């Protein structure tokens, strides 16, 4: 059996990546200028030892940063824009519909060399970048997603 995810390229390039949302299967709305926030930290609790001069540090929980996606401002018909609008602009009239997504680093053959899966994500911040008449730059939007956890797949 051929392993499509096997790639010995090290270190991988950080500029060639793909984002795939569960709802669209990565077929539309997956181009981003930047992805950041892939971070997990274990919170600890200090418990003093009776009669000793030190405290034990015990693990409490894993804390995840928000996933941040940046891209040019998309059309209003974009599935991702529609999802953001349904969560952030409806005053919770409709339930928040979380979805999973994957972030892939691609190799030179357009195959995934590294991958992360984010479970039950939904938008918590949607920001439009500054407009500046003295610069010739793409108008950007930033979408910040929270999620339950992430897993490194490959």
């Amino acid at each position: 059996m051929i392993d499509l995810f096997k790639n010995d390229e090290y270190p991988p390039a950080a500029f060639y990546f793909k984002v795939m949302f569960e709802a669209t299967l990565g077929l539309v709305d997956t181009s981003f200028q930047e992805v950041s926030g892939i971070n997990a930290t274990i919170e600890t609790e200090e418990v003093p030892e009776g009669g000793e001069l030190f405290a034990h540090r015990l693990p409490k929980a894993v804390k995840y940063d928000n996933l941040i996606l940046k891209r040019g401002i998309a059309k209003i018909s974009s599935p991702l824009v529609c999802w953001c609008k349904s969560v952030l602009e409806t005053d919770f009239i409709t339930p928040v519909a979380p979805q999973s997504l994957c972030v892939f680093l691609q190799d030179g053959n357009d195959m995934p060399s590294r991958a992360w899966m984010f479970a039950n994500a939904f938008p918590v911040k949607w920001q439009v970048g500054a407009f500046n008449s003295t610069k010739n730059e793409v108008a950007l939007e930033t979408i910040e997603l929270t999620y339950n956890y992430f897993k490194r797949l490959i």
Side-chain angles (χ1 to χ4, degrees), residues 48-63:
E49 177 75 29
E52 296 290 335
L53 297 175
F54 66 90
H56 296 281
R57 288 188 187 172
L58 303 176
K60 285 176 38 177
V62 178
K63 181 182 176 193

Side-chain angles (χ1 to χ4, degrees), residues 53-124:
L53 297 175
F54 66 90
H56 296 281
R57 288 188 187 172
L58 303 176
K60 285 176 38 177
V62 178
K63 181 182 176 193
Y64 300 97
D65 288 353
N66 288 341
L67 187 66
I68 301 168
L69 309 173
K70 290 185 182 182
R71 68 176 183 177
I73 298 176
K75 295 179 180 180
I76 198 160
S77 61
S78 150
L80 184 54
V81 169
C82 292
W83 185 43
C84 288
K85 285 175 63 60
S86 74
V87 173
L88 298 167
E89 294 182 356
T90 61
D91 294 328
F92 303 112
I93 292 171
T94 58
V96 173
Q99 61 178 298
S100 295
L101 65 121
C102 290
V103 174
F104 299 98
L105 278 180
Q106 304 291 96
D107 66 13
N109 297 316
D110 199 27
M111 298 298 296
S113 66
R114 309 292 188 276
W116 296 261
M117 186 277 302
F118 299 84
N120 301 317
F122 61 91
V124 292

